[in-house]
Amino acid sequence: MGSRSALVNGAGGFIGSHLVKRLKREGYRVRGVDLKRPEFAPTEADEFIVGDLREPEVVQAAVDGVDEVYQLAADMGGAGYIFTGEHDACVMHNSALINLNTLEFGRLAGVQRYFYSSSACIYPEHNQLDPDHPVCEESSAYPAAPDSEYGWEKLFSERLYLSYMRNYGLDVRIARYHNIFGPEGTWQGGREKAPAALCRKVAEAEDGDSIEIWGDGEQTRSFLYIDECVEGTRRLMDSDFPGPVNIGSEEMVTINDLATIAMEIAGKQLTIEHIDGPLGVRGRNSHNALIADRLGWQPSRPLREGMEATYHWIAGQVEAGTPATP
Ligand code: NAD
């Protein structure tokens, strides 16, 4: 491989496929690995291994000769996948194994630098019960009490990366992503997140129809546009700060607000029907003091701008009649 080379685990996924594009623009030689190729556009990676990172031989081939590893592969999905409890064993086993393999075989191959994508889901549930004042400061992670096994696995893996840094001197960077969204993300099939799901529902509806929202819609969240996520990821990787640090937006909205934004963008008058469904925590927002302090940068793009790009992309998919993901 060339002078700066990167491995992107999860390069067939949403953030991974965008990160590959960014690394290519910066002149990296990029190798991607995933169970599947990107769904919505051909990969821009120089080399793409379709393989299972739970398998040692796949990981050994993937880490060979690279300077940096971006570990984004995980068994994940939206609330409908993470919070029902039905996938807990898979979520924990599969993602932990990917991280264990990546670090161990990466270390043995002499790879020095690692980025790990953790999540806001590691923060204690009891700090996120008040939708108006959720606490997601990095230092509030302990005593730990995430609300899902997905969050517990992320916390375990954060500690795994920090242990490898401590004991083997690896350079490790850990970001806690907060609800990333944008074009070319999953928008149907059960693993999509709130912004994509709402854009799809609005795009499919006719004036006067109603769209369904899980819960009372007063739960709060913030959403970060994909370009800013990738920007923060690259800035963190090039910094000397290991983290863990939040990469998220501080523009907090209710899910009802988010639906209204999608309707305004579409120019449609729809009513909202609140139904039972898996919800996750009551409130969540990024807290950006640490990233601003350590990187001199934080996300600043308004939610509405990202929603416009996302809505138009999803409306195009709906119009093209893209078949539902199996
Ligand atoms: P994604 O599901 O689109 O991408 C993850 C990719 O990992 C998928 O393409 C999947 O096929 C791949 N993968 C899963 N198991 C694999 C295996 N055994 N071998 C090889 N590949 C495998 O998810 P994403 O939104 O791009 O998220 C990327 C990372 O960021 C994940 O680790 C996720 O937990 C983390 N994260 C994402 C968000 C978000 O809002 N999207 C928020 C917090 C954290």
Side-chain angles (χ1 to χ4, degrees), residues 250-272:
E250 284 186 338
E251 186 181 345
M252 189 168 80
V253 292
T254 67
I255 301 300
N256 288 330
D257 292 337
L258 191 66
T260 304
I261 292 173
M263 289 184 230
E264 283 171 3
I265 292 167
K268 293 186 185 179
Q269 304 278 341
L270 309 170
T271 52
I272 295 175

Side-chain angles (χ1 to χ4, degrees), residues 51 76 94 111 118 142 231 243 252:
M76 66 164 306
N94 294 342
V111 182
S118 182
Y142 296 97
E231 180 70 31
M252 189 168 80

